[in-house]
């Protein structure tokens, strides 16, 4: 089957078996270094990529679903400002994932931050913000966000880091981005 | 390693007519919705005998969400993340929390309604919740004379937990009635995807009117064995006035376990124990809520 897609900003055209998983294409055909393990769908969570801006497990994506998609792996993500924020947050909290899961956990953290930022932008309405302040629902929302982050991080089965530490990384990173946005506006 | 491998033929219909034609010519072809379960368990690459695939990704009519004041209908290709977002307008916060606790957002964005209900070998947590909500599915039989019928979610499986629907039947819609005033309790130990042999999922919905339980609907899910909708729990809980005596709770739990053991002899002792603890925990929670109110 002929597949056309964009991986890390480059256009590729492959002729591969239609049910070949994306992770194997990334390892065999593109030689992406950050992809290390093939668990064959055992949910090890070490193969996260962004497909059209959404995080996904590349072992669950067959080749025929890649046609026309834009795929970002950790290789190109590490060159972005978003990655530098997360890396800075790792250093600030003093918690860095091991070599095996570093790429995937970083991509999961980016996906968590994107979701939380979307929720926060919905709350940017001043009336809604005041209502929350009065009814002290902010703490409740923060607790929900922590739970959400822990659940998402559970997708990666590596136990090299504590979930609570990674939640701190998420919070630190959100703070960097908030400050940057304030400076911009 | 990959030499002499035949590639699976993938057919992506855009309408029901195209789909019916193709399925009639290739009755063995496999429906592909999100692919979460198929890629994880069923399809192993490289395979010497690849199966033909019907990808439902381009069927826009299966991606529709229709709603009115009293009910909501999800197309079978709607993903579980969208379901959990739309649910906020139709269900109580407990049901919404249960729907958002089904796996991670990354998986929910890929898994679909149809896929979650029609996995052949395991029963998912989504099917458990839908059973307690009395949801029903629209099944379209892909034959020359198209036939449509509505089936309740718990009637999609037989007693041993196997999917009753024939390979030529396509689930096209899921219909759920709104329920904002119901009490809902959901508990899961283990994941049906990764620990299917030991996992137990329990969901129960009931109404509470002046400390009296009514309209109870309970479902246990043992992913490899099947769904268990307990008639005994439903009948014996209905009409009970809270708070309940601990002796009565113990008696009810014992009866329930006896019923489960009779109907599913293949269950593991650990699953029985978990099921009884979950049920007890639900009843004590209910007691605590009532005592706190008064």
């Amino acid at each position: 089957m002929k597949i056309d897609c964009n991986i890390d900003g480059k256009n590729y055209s492959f002729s591969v078996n239609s049910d070949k998983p994306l992770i194997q294409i990334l390892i065999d055909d593109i030689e992406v270094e950050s992809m290390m393990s093939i668990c064959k769908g055992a949910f090890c969570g070490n193969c996260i990529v962004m497909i059209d801006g959404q995080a996904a497990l590349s072992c669950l994506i067959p080749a025929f679903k890649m046609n026309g998609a834009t795929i970002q792996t950790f290789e190109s993500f590490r060159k972005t400002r978003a990655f530098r924020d997360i890396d800075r947050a790792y250093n600030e909290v003093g918690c860095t994932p091991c070599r095996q899961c570093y790429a995937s956990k970083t991509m999961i953290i980016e996906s968590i931050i994107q979701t939380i930022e979307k929720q926060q932008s919905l709350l940017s309405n001043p009336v809604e913000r005041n209502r929350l302040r009065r009814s002290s629902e902010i703490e409740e929302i923060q607790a929900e966000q922590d739970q959400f982050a822990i659940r998402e991080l559970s997708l990666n089965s590596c136990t090299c880091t504590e979930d609570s530490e990674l939640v701190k990384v998420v919070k630190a990173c959100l703070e960097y981005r908030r400050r940057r946005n304030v400076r911009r506006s | 390693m990959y030499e002499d491998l035949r590639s699976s033929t993938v057919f992506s219909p855009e309408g029901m007519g195209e789909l019916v034609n193709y399925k009639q010519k290739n009755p063995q072809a496999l429906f592909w919705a999100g692919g979460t379960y198929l890629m994880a368990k069923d399809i192993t690459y490289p395979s010497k005998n690849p199966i033909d695939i019907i990808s439902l990704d381009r069927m826009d009519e299966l991606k529709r969400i229709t709603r009115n004041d009293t009910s909501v209908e999800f197309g079978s290709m709607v993903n579980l993340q969208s379901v959990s977002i739309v649910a906020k307008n139709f269900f109580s916060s407990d049901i919404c929390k249960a729907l958002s606790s089904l796996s991670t957002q990354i998986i929910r964005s890929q898994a679909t309604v149809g896929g979650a209900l029609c996995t052949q070998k395991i029963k998912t947590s989504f099917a458990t919740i839908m059973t307690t909500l009395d949801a029903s599915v629209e099944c379209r039989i892909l034959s020359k004379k198209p036939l449509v019928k509505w089936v309740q979610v718990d009637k999609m499986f037989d007693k041993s937990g196997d999917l009753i629907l024939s390979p030529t039947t396509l689930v096209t819609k899921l219909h759920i009635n709104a329920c904002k005033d119901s009490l809902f309790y959901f508990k899961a130990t283990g994941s049906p995807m990764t620990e299917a042999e030991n996992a137990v999922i329990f969901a129960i919905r009931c109404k509470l009117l002046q400390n009296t339980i009514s309209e109870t609907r309970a479902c246990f899910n043992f992913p490899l064995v099947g769904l268990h909708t307990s008639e005994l729990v439903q009948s014996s809980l209905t009409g009970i006035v809270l708070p309940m005596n601990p002796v009565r709770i113990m008696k009810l739990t014992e009866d329930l376990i006896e019923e489960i053991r009779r109907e599913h002899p293949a269950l593991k002792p650990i699953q029985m124990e978990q099921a009884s603890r979950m049920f007890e925990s639900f009843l004590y929670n209910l007691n605590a809520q009532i005592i706190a109110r008064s």
Side-chain angles (χ1 to χ4, degrees), chain A residues 25-47:
Chain A
I25 293 172
L26 292 176
I27 292 173
D28 298 345
D29 303 275
I30 316 276
E31 295 178 359
V32 174
E33 285 173 12
S34 59
M35 294 288 164
M36 288 187 220
S37 64
I38 301 178
C39 68
K40 291 202 170 180
F43 292 93
C44 73
N46 275 329
C47 61

Side-chain angles (χ1 to χ4, degrees), chain B residues 99-115:
Chain B
L99 286 168
S100 329
S101 70
L102 302 175
S103 190
T104 62
Q105 185 179 288
I106 293 172
I107 300 289
R108 283 202 307 273
S109 306
Q110 194 183 337
T112 60
V113 167

